[in-house]
Amino acid sequence: MASRIRIVPMLAAAVLALTGCAASTTTTSSGDATTPQTGGTLVYGLPDDLGCIDPQQVSSNDAIVMSKPLVASLTWQNPDTGEIEPWLASSWEINDESTEFTFHLADGASYSDGTPVDAASVKANFDSILEMGAVAVLGARYTTGLESVETPDDMTVQLTFASPRGDFLQASASQALGMISTESTKKSQADRCAGDFAGSGPFALDRYEPDTIAVLKGRKDYAWAPPSVENQGAPYLDELRFAVIPESSTLTGTLLSNQIQASNNISARDQEIFSERGFELNNRANPGQVYGFLVNFDSTVGKDPAVRQALMHAIDRDAVNSLLTPNDRPATSVLSDTTPLYNDVSDEFAYDVDLANQLLDEAGWELGADGVREKDGERLSFTLDYWQPTGDALQLIQQQFKDIGVDMQLKQTTVAQQTGTIGDGSRALWWVNSTRADPSAMSSLIGPNALFNENRPDTSIDEALQRIDEISDPEQRQEAVDEAVALILEQGAVIPVMQLSTTIVSSPTTHGITFDASSRVDFASAWTEQ
Amino acid sequence: MATYLLRRIGFGVLIIWAAFTAAWLILFFLPGDAVAAAGVDTSDPAALEARREALGLNRPWYVQYVAALFGAVRGDFGVTVGTGEPVSQIIARSLPNTLELVGVALVFALIIGLVVGIASVYPRAAWLRGLLSALPPIAISLPSFWLGLLLLQAFSFGLGWFPAYNTGTFASIVLPALSLAITTGAYLAQVLASSLRIEMASAYAEQVRAKGATRPRIVFGHALRGAALPSLNMVGILVAGMLGGTVVTETVFSRNGLGRELIGAVESSEISVVLAIVTIAALVFVVINLLVDFVTPLIDRRIALTGKVAA
């Protein structure tokens, strides 16, 4: 989640109140809202693009929204079912060990420079992703252990991994493994960031000014949409623009005054105003690991299982959820409810202050004079660093922890500062989440090779997470996911709190902007009333 | 005259060096680790050390300082820790945008300063002069982000005359330039008005008035020339102020430039970018002041480029 710059939150409300009278004249719906119309321009507002539009290099939500329409991937993940369906590849085979993936490419797909999507170009993409290494943050993660890429014939690609990769089929649907032309893979990383590449997606890049604007043109020859997508032909839009607008009150004002037609970065507070004015609000929880606390087992607070369980039961998730948008839902598992293979296990960590207090009493943590529990000279007091725009929720949880005698101090930092302290053992809890439409989202945060080091005393959770990554068979995978989630909650390794969600706010004359399975914005079926 | 020029230029170089050194020292001894911030695996001390070594961050501080200084003299501020992009490339991308914004803002500010400055002295009616003189202090006390949002609200969201974000057209530069220019223009107006009052009350003005010169002739023909100098001398400082103002203005008006780069660089501990921007700002300040120095004698012939007022 990108950080937002909000210079004057209070003033924003005033600006909104004033804007109302002016904006109401510009947003009256005139045409038919059900039959898509072809043509026109849609301007989409984003707070930041981090200066790069190469889908294989970007990793922030906003940069992904902007670069994703430029590429098609080997497969498509159905947002309703979570199933993997054909896209550039019409079919595929996976060996029993989940180490060998063979993709058969569909005929007729092409890059925007006119060259066909063939096996050689797909191989060139994987070669270049491997070569980029950590620069392709997501791609590098998805291709870990990729040993060879073979092309048995012009339209067949065979990938072989050193160890089982049960999660790779889902990864093949991601924009980070979206295909660009062979020629494009040879360009420098900087040139590709600046937009010097030809993609395989429904839109082609016309102009890109970093941190300012990107102009994409709909490809009239695009005819290889995934079968389950509504628009089977070329994009309805002539032009799709992304305007980078960092200040949130400016973003709100531009959308209200119809200078832009949609954005997924309107604050919860402002969303109500849009809803009242007839704008469409489309909300979807991000799949992956929910927002929650990751516990450092080496810290005073984290080393006692009783304390971890007490924290788990001390959070009133419904109260926290009431601070979010009306469409948000509290966490009911370590995974969010839009993640494939998710199951509701909310009973395991139900809100129960009495139980939490009882657990702490039994473990010998006694209330001190200042209301903070202590035992053998150690106090249940710690500082939580966070950079995400979730301050309100954390303050409420701070109060709820206080009710059981745990003192959580909050300190807002930057991503840079926080990353700088990972691994030094100085923090008791981390505030984290991870978006990916696959249960393996958990391993990237808490798995054996994850960035965070939680000092868990045994490897049971690591092993359970590894199993998820090794199995392709859905039924066996479901068992592995359930087992890993159960272990994580039982040991209190993660304290789930709330689901991150994305809300697209679009003007009354804009339609068809949808979510893909990863809750990224999809424009292939978007259109505007002329 | 050559000696004077050399001395002024030498002094300018000294200012840029001082700004560079002060910024370098502050940034160097500030806590924070850009290498760790750039996502290098911090649990692997060897990897961290290798990255520091590659960037030359494990040398003694004075060696790093001298290397940075010599690099800066050649226009080389190194590469960013995060992406490895040359800092000079970032500057080359964002500086033109900021100069364009500040340039247009300066033109607006000069127009505002001249018009309001003269208007608050020119009318015969004392109440009107008083009213017009009250405008600049009000404008000066307005916070620029608030002014920016008000302008957006009225002329973009409301009337729809100008776009609220950078569309690449001239129309999209008008509001951000105005939000920088209003405060700056108000300063100019204040200085110009008070100098004009002094000039109008001076002996030579009395004399031309006695000779029967009209009010417009006294103001535009005589007083304005003398009164312009103190305002002109302020331009360097005002441009520096506007450069600082771009940090907020570029964010509110969604313009890419030095100000927004600076925020990003501070957030991600990109010391070399911050250093380059501080140095560029000092350079702009010095160049403007030099230009003012050279223009001054063209306006007032009594001042020759010797540093002394001619007899």
Side-chain angles (χ1 to χ4, degrees):
Chain A
M1 193 170 210
S3 65
R4 305 291 314 275
I5 301 166
R6 187 160 194 141
I7 293 177
V8 271
M10 281 185 305
L11 198 74
V15 168
L16 277 173
L18 290 165
T19 313
C21 7
S24 56
T25 52
T26 54
T27 52
T28 33
S29 176
S30 54
D32 180 357
T34 49
T35 317
Q37 296 173 15
T38 307
T41 298
L42 169 67
V43 190
Y44 197 85
L46 291 173
D48 200 349
D49 69 8
L50 301 175
C52 187
I53 197 167
D54 178 5
Q56 293 182 3
Q57 291 185 57
V58 300
S59 59
S60 89
N61 285 349
D62 297 317
I64 289 173
V65 168
M66 183 154 114
S67 58
K68 205 183 83 82
L70 298 171
V71 284
S73 306
L74 289 173
T75 61
W76 165 260
Q77 190 171 16
N78 187 318
D80 299 323
T81 63
E83 308 240 324
I84 306 298
E85 301 174 352
W87 197 356
L88 288 175
S90 51
S91 64
W92 52 85
E93 292 108 38
I94 305 168
N95 69 351
D96 290 341
E97 292 78 38
S98 302
T99 52
E100 212 177 89
F101 296 76
T102 308
F103 293 94
H104 303 283
L105 300 174
D107 286 321
S110 68
Y111 298 103
S112 58
D113 62 4
T115 57
V117 178
D118 56 11
S121 67
V122 171
K123 177 176 162 52
N125 274 273
F126 281 106
D127 288 346
S128 117
I129 288 165
L130 287 177
E131 198 182 314
M132 280 196 283
V135 173
V137 187
L138 298 174
R141 195 181 293 163
Y142 299 155
T143 54
T144 308
L146 179 57
E147 275 188 338
S148 72
V149 184
E150 306 291 331
T151 53
D153 65 56
D154 276 0
M155 298 304 271
T156 306
V157 191
Q158 194 173 62
L159 292 91
T160 310
F161 289 87
S163 54
R165 283 301 305 270
D167 64 319
F168 181 74
L169 188 63
Q170 188 275 336
S172 72
S174 124
Q175 104 293 330
L177 301 182
M179 296 297 148
I180 60 175
S181 73
T182 307
E183 203 54 42
S184 309
T185 61
K186 296 174 186 156
K187 308 271 185 185
S188 74
Q189 288 159 11
D191 283 351
R192 282 171 55 175
C193 260
D196 187 8
F197 64 87
S200 49
F203 290 86
L205 187 63
D206 182 52
R207 182 164 71 89
Y208 173 51
E209 259 182 73
D211 294 323
T212 306
I213 199 161
V215 181
L216 282 63
K217 301 271 189 197
R219 283 181 65 183
K220 302 283 177 233
D221 60 344
Y222 179 76
W224 47 94
S228 65
V229 168
E230 182 222 306
N231 178 11
Q232 284 295 302
Y236 299 126
L237 294 171
D238 275 345
E239 199 173 286
L240 172 62
R241 285 174 176 247
F242 293 97
V244 179
I245 302 173
E247 223 294 301
S248 68
S249 49
T250 311
L251 187 65
T252 297
T254 39
L255 181 52
L256 276 174
S257 58
N258 203 33
Q259 297 184 48
I260 61 172
Q261 284 73 46
S263 175
N264 64 304
N265 285 281
I266 301 299
S267 67
R269 191 175 6 203
D270 294 350
Q271 283 176 19
E272 209 174 310
I273 298 161
F274 284 98
S275 160
E276 284 163 8
R277 304 252 165 92
F279 282 65
E280 193 188 330
L281 272 65
N282 192 0
N283 174 283
R284 189 177 193 267
N286 284 36
Q289 184 166 335
V290 296
Y291 259 121
F293 298 104
L294 177 56
V295 181
N296 176 3
F297 281 53
D298 249 4
S299 62
T300 307
V301 175
K303 69 185 173 194
D304 186 342
V307 178
R308 300 198 295 267
Q309 286 304 323
L311 293 178
M312 197 89 90
H313 294 289
I315 300 171
D316 181 353
R317 292 171 182 79
D318 288 325
V320 174
N321 193 60
S322 68
L323 297 173
L324 311 175
T325 75
N327 294 311
D328 278 299
R329 294 177 297 278
T332 48
S333 169
V334 179
L335 295 169
S336 84
D337 58 15
T338 50
T339 319
L341 308 183
Y342 146 92
N343 270 323
D344 185 339
V345 286
S346 52
D347 289 346
E348 304 295 320
F349 50 92
Y351 173 51
D352 189 341
V353 187
D354 295 337
L355 175 62
N357 274 314
Q358 189 193 332
L359 285 167
L360 292 172
D361 288 340
E362 284 169 8
W365 293 94
E366 284 168 15
L367 273 180
D370 56 355
V372 180
R373 286 178 188 267
E374 47 189 49
K375 176 179 160 185
D376 305 332
E378 289 186 313
R379 284 158 46 85
L380 291 184
S381 170
F382 65 97
T383 300
L384 181 87
D385 290 0
Y386 71 100
W387 57 267
Q388 299 93 332
T390 49
D392 291 355
L394 287 171
Q395 278 167 28
L396 185 58
I397 298 168
Q398 181 180 41
Q399 292 302 316
Q400 295 171 356
F401 280 173
K402 209 173 160 192
D403 291 343
I404 60 160
V406 175
D407 171 44
M408 175 171 76
Q409 298 293 319
L410 295 173
K411 186 175 154 214
Q412 182 150 26
T413 63
T414 61
V415 183
Q417 284 167 339
Q418 178 153 17
T419 319
T421 56
I422 289 175
D424 67 6
S426 62
R427 303 300 191 273
L429 265 64
W430 300 99
W431 179 240
V432 295
N433 81 304
S434 164
T435 294
R436 184 176 170 188
D438 190 271
S440 62
M442 290 186 290
S443 7
S444 63
L445 272 183
I446 56 176
N449 303 311
L451 186 58
F452 292 94
N453 180 5
E454 316 84 63
N455 304 306
R456 286 190 297 263
D458 70 74
T459 55
S460 55
I461 291 178
D462 285 346
E463 284 158 18
L465 289 172
Q466 199 141 6
R467 262 197 301 283
I468 300 175
D469 292 352
E470 286 172 0
I471 306 167
S472 288
D473 176 72
E475 263 173 50
Q476 290 176 25
R477 242 182 145 211
Q478 179 73 64
E479 281 171 31
V481 170
D482 291 343
E483 192 203 339
V485 169
L487 271 173
I488 289 169
L489 293 175
E490 198 179 290
Q491 297 185 18
V494 172
I495 301 167
V497 177
M498 62 197 208
Q499 304 193 144
L500 167 68
S501 76
T502 304
T503 303
I504 305 170
V505 180
S506 47
S507 82
T509 54
T510 303
H511 311 278
I513 304 178
T514 53
F515 286 111
D516 73 3
S518 304
S519 296
R520 316 285 191 202
V521 188
D522 196 282
F523 296 96
S525 307
W527 58 279
T528 62
E529 290 174 32
Q530 311 285 314
Chain B
M1 174 169 163
T3 339
Y4 174 77
L5 277 183
L6 283 175
R7 215 176 65 216
R8 295 297 297 171
I9 291 171
F11 197 61
V13 171
L14 196 70
I15 289 175
I16 298 170
W17 169 79
F20 174 88
T21 305
W24 192 91
L25 288 173
I26 291 169
L27 291 168
F28 187 85
F29 290 106
L30 216 60
D33 186 346
V35 176
V40 177
D41 185 1
T42 44
S43 59
D44 182 359
L48 276 179
E49 203 47 41
R51 190 67 182 269
R52 289 207 181 89
E53 172 124 28
L55 292 161
L57 295 177
N58 52 358
R59 296 171 295 173
W61 68 270
Y62 48 87
V63 178
Q64 289 189 49
Y65 168 74
V66 172
L69 183 62
F70 278 92
V73 170
R74 294 193 312 269
D76 174 13
F77 286 89
V79 297
T80 64
V81 177
T83 60
E85 187 183 9
V87 176
S88 52
Q89 202 171 308
I90 294 176
I91 300 295
R93 189 172 62 221
S94 48
L95 182 64
N97 286 338
T98 299
L99 287 185
E100 184 190 16
L101 174 62
V102 171
V104 175
L106 185 61
V107 172
F108 285 177
L110 290 174
I111 295 170
I112 294 169
L114 269 175
V115 171
V116 179
I118 294 170
S120 60
V121 174
Y122 192 77
R124 285 178 202 277
W127 66 268
L128 189 55
R129 286 204 306 272
L131 186 74
L132 289 166
S133 312
L135 288 180
I138 294 173
I140 287 167
S141 54
L142 295 177
S144 68
F145 63 83
W146 192 69
L147 197 62
L149 286 177
L150 279 189
L151 288 172
L152 269 179
Q153 170 53 42
F155 299 107
S156 180
F157 305 156
L159 296 167
W161 292 353
F162 301 101
Y165 59 93
N166 189 2
T167 53
T169 56
F170 181 76
S172 62
I173 206 173
V174 172
L175 293 183
L178 259 185
S179 86
L180 283 175
I182 287 177
T183 320
T184 314
Y187 274 114
L188 281 173
Q190 259 190 333
V191 174
L192 183 66
S194 85
S195 320
L196 269 178
R197 279 186 213 105
I198 295 169
E199 294 286 329
M200 301 267 286
S202 68
Y204 81 86
E206 280 298 322
Q207 199 176 356
V208 289
R209 197 172 294 134
K211 282 181 172 172
T214 58
R215 194 168 172 84
R217 171 118 187 98
I218 299 168
V219 172
F220 294 103
H222 299 277
L224 192 56
R225 185 178 278 254
L229 278 181
S231 314
L232 193 64
N233 283 322
M234 279 181 71
V235 167
I237 297 215
L238 292 177
V239 168
M242 288 199 283
L243 275 179
T246 59
V247 171
V248 169
T249 307
E250 287 178 347
T251 302
V252 171
F253 290 94
S254 316
R255 296 186 62 84
N256 185 19
L258 288 184
R260 237 168 92 195
E261 286 293 346
L262 187 62
I263 296 179
V266 168
E267 276 182 354
S268 52
S269 299
E270 288 288 2
I271 289 177
S272 47
V273 178
V274 178
L275 192 63
I277 293 176
V278 170
T279 311
I280 296 282
L283 180 72
V284 171
F285 175 74
V286 165
V287 168
I288 300 268
N289 273 319
L290 278 176
L291 286 177
V292 168
D293 275 353
F294 299 145
V295 171
T296 303
L298 301 180
I299 294 178
D300 191 334
R301 297 287 155 77
R302 291 170 302 178
I303 299 174
L305 285 184
T306 55
K308 300 178 193 119
V309 175

